[in-house]
Amino acid sequence: MAFLGVFVFAGVGGESEGLEANSNDYYSSTNLADGWIYSANLDRGFLDEVYTLGPTTEMERQLVVDSVANFSNDPEITLHFVENNTISKFYLIKGEPLNISDSDGVWLDKSFADAKNIKVGDNITFEFNGFKIEKEIKGIGYSPEYVYHASKSSVIPDFSKLGFAYMSYKAFPSEIVPYNVLNVKFDGTAETFSSLLSEKMDGKYNSFVERSEHTSVSQFSEEMDQHQMMAGIFPVVFILIAMLILLTTMTRIITHQRTQIGILKACGFRDISIMFHYVSYGFWLVLAGSILGLIIGPLTLPKLFYPSMSATYILPSWKPAWSMDFFYVALAMIMMSILVSYYAVKSIFNEKPADTIKPKAPKVSSSGMIEKLGLWNRLSFNTRWNYRDTKRNKFRALMTIIGVIGCTALLVSAFGMYDGMNDLKEWEFNQINHYDSKLVIDEEASISEIDNVAKEVNGDKIMENSIEIESDSAKKSGSLLVLNHTDLVTPTDYDWNKIKIEDDEISISQKMADMLDVGVGDTVKWHIMGSDKWVKTKINKIHADPTSQGLIMSSDKLEELDLNYTPTGIVTTEHIDRNYSTIKTTNSMNDMTSSWDELTEAMWLLIYILIFFASLLAVVVLYNLGLLSFTEIEREIATLKVLGFKTGALRKLLLTQNLWFTTIGFLLGIPVGYYILKVMWESSGDSFYILPSISLTNIILTAAITFSLSIFVNLMFSRKIKKLDMVESLKSSE
Amino acid sequence: MSTIIEFKNVDKIYNSGNHILKAMDNVNFKINKGEFVIILGPSGAGKSTLLNLLGGLDTLTSGEIIVNGNHVEKFSDNQLTGYRAKNVGFIFQFYNLIPNLTALENIELMKDIADVNINGLDVLDSVGLKDHANQFPAQLSGGEQQRVSIARAVAKQPTMLLCDEPTGALDSKTGVLILKLLQDMSNNKETTVIIVTHNAILAEAADKVIRIKNGQIESISVNDNPKKVTELEW
Ligand SMILES: Nc1ncnc2c1ncn2[C@@H]1O[C@H](COP(=O)(O)OP(=O)(O)O)[C@@H](O)[C@H]1O
Ligand SMILES: [Mg+2]
């Protein structure tokens, strides 16, 4: 048990620690930029100015352009023409290192290369801004700026449709196109740097993106946060479970040894040596289990999670890491085992040696309140017996109930997660979005070209942008959605009722409103990422969206705010497989839902693990405590058997108590499970909004599992009752 | 008088691994309805074994045990349970009351298993413990507990009362009280009472005395004029 507890704790912890360590290693070995300054004029003078800001330590210029590679599906490849490959370096997997004086070679995204089955030595052609270049692939690898890489229109990357490539600035086909991005490294915080920059160099650059705002970095760190949260809640729950199980098991085992201990004591063994024997027995077992768990946990559990993650995120290595926390937990486990066995043995020592050789005498029961009520006399013998037995063994009752609470809470949250994931899918893909295809518009496209395509596919234009929103209390990044009387995208409230956002209204998503601590009537300040124009707007409505948090408004409203309406996509109910020159990519609803399914695979695994552990917890705790109780009442059972009670009646006697505890634990476990679920969803990342809900099916399933486990454990005792030797059991006290 | 219990060539062999022990060796006897029977023998003679076989707590190795015309050795587990419930009242040396139930509840418990309509208080009264009805076993003295245990056994109006050293844990004064109670049961209610003891003095009070040794019947004697338990010299 110690093994399992430490195993899960260190395993899940090792996974998230591993993510963190791997990405940190990756970021530092490739010297990922601390920030990116976008400007059309990155000349020497500009560099000097940035350098004299103070904190700047390193700079490198890049020319970054979007291109289309010559494949039938027009994959979108972002080209980086780099000055010297010192910041945000290309991470080579195959081929030769990036050579800055090589103007013929290209270093290509490995995920894209794999998806297209391209090899080092092949040639590849890119088209952009009227240029067409053909280069030889000299190397294949990764980039720290592309841990996460998805197009603006879909959250889930499709590696055959997009990628990136690095090459020397010398490879650029024209002399006159200047660098457009400056990668910078600096000391101190990004905030200081950013404010220095805007103070001293206002107007000379378009925008500045700090590391934590970079899409790839922020998306991945959000994912890591989720994992850390997972590593924060569940392993703790498991450790508590493991401790509960360990505690009950050790108490059971030592209590079983009661007579043995008494005899040893009577034989003249010193307390200290008996104590040492029993304490060390538990100690070695727990120690061995913990060490094994510490080693095996991080080696195995992350392997279950990483594959589905590596479908979305690109890291050169997926290795687990160890943290000191694991050792502390293992240590706590070991300490606890020592304490528990110490106290269990000690409590036996405290009895007189003569008494220990006999089975424990039942404590005197006293009549309580309930017995004095008239109703008592009408209760069955079974009820009375169980009521008093519970009163006599409050500790055992408490442990059993806690065990059942744990089991129920885990099941409720596991099924709740299942429901939540399905709800989210239904909400996002059926309740809000009703289109079949979403066409992503090329940035270069003109309004009339867009309108033509929209007309041709019977589609509606939408505009989606990343924005940054600020209230008096917080600043968050989110998304902007501009709709134009479309019924293909219909915002809803948290009950999935469609809500109408009028032309002159702005609606904020519930989660964003919560994060910013604002409501209807309040004012927020926001700007579109990449632009420095901040606008202040009043919130008119609140909508709810499961996957994107931010603002929704009409194009009229946008223009009223003096912002440009530039559609980024066209949604249509038609299934589009044609290509349009103005369209970068087309995403079908099917693609999106199946990518979503892929993304959530890790979640299913977690749910199964939860259900398994919940069941294990219930069985072990109920069995341990049941056995503890059975040993104590064996004599009573034998007596009742002699008196002529049927096995069935005796089983019912034990079952009654089991069911009471299970019922209490079940009822208390539901709110606990709800709470776990709530914490879980709340910490699932800034962009997700899922309301914790517990469906009737959830309750029924949980009840079915919890109660069948309880009855299953009871059946194990039923066999014990049947086999109980009356003569032997009654003889034991003579 | 009619024979109610009969042992025919009963053998009981304990086979614990390599060690074989014959605890009952060709035991034959008959007991009549309403008899007050004392089984005497040294410790380890097989007295408890005999009682356990008769009470359906244990099964014999070979032979026949006939109670009320029924072959107990042929009973299934379920039938044995029913047999114990209806026919057998057991009284142990250590009382074996249910500690979680009051004296009265320990008696009324019998309503659950035997189809009897009894008033628990009346039964308690018959053993002189009416005032202790709501006390728990641990709050009663040994003698009182044993009386509750007798009350519990007779409450279901069994064919026979089987008492395994019922006074073994009691002082002699209390013991006499208990034995008197048992003797009265057999006289007034025609209940067959079988008492296992190693106190030979009791023999004079019995209708029938069965002596056993090493698992064998040593002798069976019938008393035509048994004394009252209270008349014996202790
Ligand atoms: N379950 C058992 N396994 C082996 N031997 C047993 C068992 N029960 C009793 N015996 C043996 O059978 C013999 C008779 O025991 P018992 O009937 O209890 O004697 P007593 O006359 O003292 O009541 C003893 O030698 C005892 O050791
Ligand atoms: Mg005996």
Side-chain angles (χ1 to χ4, degrees), chain A residues 728 731, chain B residues 14 21 23 42-49:
Chain A
E728 282 303 307
K731 206 189 264 176
Chain B
Y14 284 115
L21 191 127
S43 183
K47 307 180 296 289
S48 297
T49 306

Side-chain angles (χ1 to χ4, degrees), chain B residues 15-70:
Chain B
N15 192 348
S16 45
N18 46 14
H19 182 73
I20 292 174
L21 191 127
K22 209 160 188 182
M24 289 274 95
D25 188 359
N26 194 26
V27 171
N28 289 283
F29 64 83
K30 285 180 186 176
I31 290 173
N32 295 329
K33 190 166 161 50
E35 267 184 332
F36 189 64
V37 182
I38 302 293
I39 299 179
L40 281 174
S43 183
K47 307 180 296 289
S48 297
T49 306
L50 190 154
L51 221 52
N52 292 340
L53 288 174
L54 178 57
L57 304 194
D58 211 344
T59 47
L60 47 65
T61 310
S62 68
E64 294 165 57
I65 297 175
I66 303 154
V67 175
N68 262 341
N70 297 313

Side-chain angles (χ1 to χ4, degrees), chain A residues 362 364-367 371 376 381 384-385 388-389 392 635-636 639-646 726-727 730 733-734, chain B residues 52 56-58 81 84-85 90 92-94 96 98-102 105 109-110 112-113 134 136 138-139 152 156:
Chain A
V364 177
S365 305
S366 57
S367 307
E371 280 109 319
W376 177 257
F381 146 70
R384 297 186 202 190
W385 185 88
R388 294 213 183 98
D389 190 57
R392 210 171 72 181
R635 205 182 161 78
E636 280 170 66
T639 306
L640 292 171
K641 226 174 141 173
V642 169
L643 290 177
F645 272 80
K646 297 201 179 71
M726 288 170 278
V727 180
L730 292 176
S733 80
E734 285 168 39
Chain B
N52 292 340
L57 304 194
D58 211 344
T81 304
R84 283 198 302 270
F90 247 105
F92 302 95
Q93 182 178 1
F94 291 105
N96 286 331
I98 305 299
N100 278 333
L101 300 177
T102 61
E105 286 164 355
L109 182 61
M110 291 303 117
D112 278 22
I113 43 167
N134 290 321
F136 288 98
Q139 295 165 318
R152 179 177 71 181
K156 59 182 178 180

